[in-house]
Amino acid sequence: MNQNSIDCILKNFLKEKNVQSIKTNVSNRDLLVDEIKSADNNNYKIVKTISIKRCDNSAQLVYLRDFSFTYKKNTQDNMSDVERFNYNVNGIPEEDYPVDKLDEAIMNAVRLQFPEAKMRSKLLACSEIDNIKSQYNRFTKKAYFTIHPDLKSCSMLPNKFPLKRFETDVFIDNYKRQICNDLYFDIIINLDNVNDYYDFVDGLKTLCSMKRFLGIN
């Protein structure tokens, strides 16, 4: 089979998977394979849960991340289809879930106020929405995060450099006690150039509120 035939087959596959078409060649074939793999995750989201505790009270900061070309699981290429299905549903180790600079920045900001905070990840199939609504239909507050550069970075950036604010849901285990107010966190980032800031903004495009995703007010 010649190169043109291979390219035609791959282009049709990508179109069927609703993935942006890429003209294939020797140098980008591996990237194309990665994009095809990431297309298989379209029906899943990653739930990121950060457990926090204050005195005897606990809560969970929860947000969702979408898979993308760069935000994806570490793959196990030698698995059979059955093994991969079981791995995705039941047995993904925490270290195989993606963690980018945005996840790390969120975690670091939370730990400044809650040093014992821990993050865990799990897959959420879009088909599970109706089944898990009752699990998340409970008392919540908000956690607000503001991204801004450190003082050193500000000096090399344009005036009126934009701040970016986003929020996550905080599910309270006992809302009558201490962790029952909205939480506020600052994410201070070191920037070499303005593109570093927008890397975080791009990451936010894959972030979603759990309650918004489930359609819960």
Side-chain angles (χ1 to χ4, degrees):
M1 185 178 294
N2 60 34
Q3 180 69 42
N4 289 336
S5 297
I6 294 173
D7 287 347
C8 183
I9 292 171
L10 290 172
K11 183 181 293 185
N12 289 335
F13 179 86
L14 289 172
K15 183 177 180 181
E16 183 177 327
K17 286 288 189 178
N18 195 30
V19 176
Q20 183 179 358
S21 180
I22 302 174
K23 182 173 177 59
T24 60
N25 53 46
V26 174
S27 64
N28 73 2
R29 188 170 296 278
D30 289 341
L31 291 176
L32 177 58
V33 171
D34 285 342
E35 181 134 348
I36 291 173
K37 288 178 180 178
S38 101
D40 292 333
N41 292 316
N42 283 346
N43 293 321
Y44 291 89
K45 293 182 181 291
I46 300 177
V47 183
K48 294 287 187 177
T49 301
I50 302 176
S51 299
I52 60 175
K53 191 171 184 179
R54 179 172 288 160
C55 297
D56 294 326
N57 307 289
S58 58
Q60 298 81 41
L61 282 74
V62 180
Y63 62 94
L64 299 175
R65 295 291 302 269
D66 290 321
F67 287 101
S68 71
F69 182 61
T70 57
Y71 194 80
K72 56 192 175 183
K73 299 192 306 295
N74 295 323
T75 57
Q76 304 294 330
D77 294 330
N78 296 326
M79 288 184 178
S80 67
D81 290 342
V82 172
E83 288 172 332
R84 186 175 300 282
F85 176 83
N86 290 331
Y87 172 82
N88 285 340
V89 174
N90 300 313
I92 302 177
E94 185 67 31
E95 59 269 20
D96 281 1
Y97 282 101
V99 176
D100 62 4
K101 291 182 179 179
L102 177 59
D103 291 324
E104 292 174 350
I106 291 172
M107 193 70 228
N108 290 337
V110 172
R111 279 183 171 157
L112 288 176
Q113 295 187 36
F114 301 92
E116 304 294 324
K118 295 181 179 180
M119 177 184 284
R120 59 183 173 84
S121 309
K122 69 176 182 179
L123 281 185
L124 173 63
C126 296
S127 58
E128 295 182 83
I129 292 177
D130 290 337
N131 294 332
I132 68 169
K133 278 187 175 180
S134 60
Q135 177 183 349
Y136 291 98
N137 190 14
R138 55 193 178 94
F139 183 81
T140 57
K141 301 299 282 187
K142 292 291 184 183
Y144 295 98
F145 293 82
T146 302
I147 302 174
H148 53 89
D150 63 7
L151 293 177
K152 180 180 178 181
S153 300
C154 283
S155 63
M156 68 180 73
L157 296 171
N159 291 332
K160 298 182 180 178
F161 189 78
L163 302 183
K164 185 70 177 180
R165 194 181 192 192
F166 64 96
E167 62 186 54
T168 66
D169 299 311
V170 182
F171 294 86
I172 310 298
D173 290 339
N174 188 341
Y175 67 86
K176 294 181 180 179
R177 297 192 180 180
Q178 289 186 17
I179 306 178
C180 58
N181 297 317
D182 290 337
L183 300 175
Y184 296 86
F185 302 95
D186 285 325
I187 294 178
I188 302 176
I189 54 177
N190 300 313
L191 304 172
D192 292 325
N193 54 63
V194 70
N195 290 330
D196 288 347
Y197 174 84
Y198 288 108
D199 284 345
F200 280 80
V201 175
D202 287 341
L204 290 175
K205 295 176 182 177
T206 69
L207 187 150
C208 178
S209 157
M210 172 63 84
K211 297 192 83 168
R212 186 182 307 122
F213 174 70
L214 296 178
I216 300 174
N217 295 326

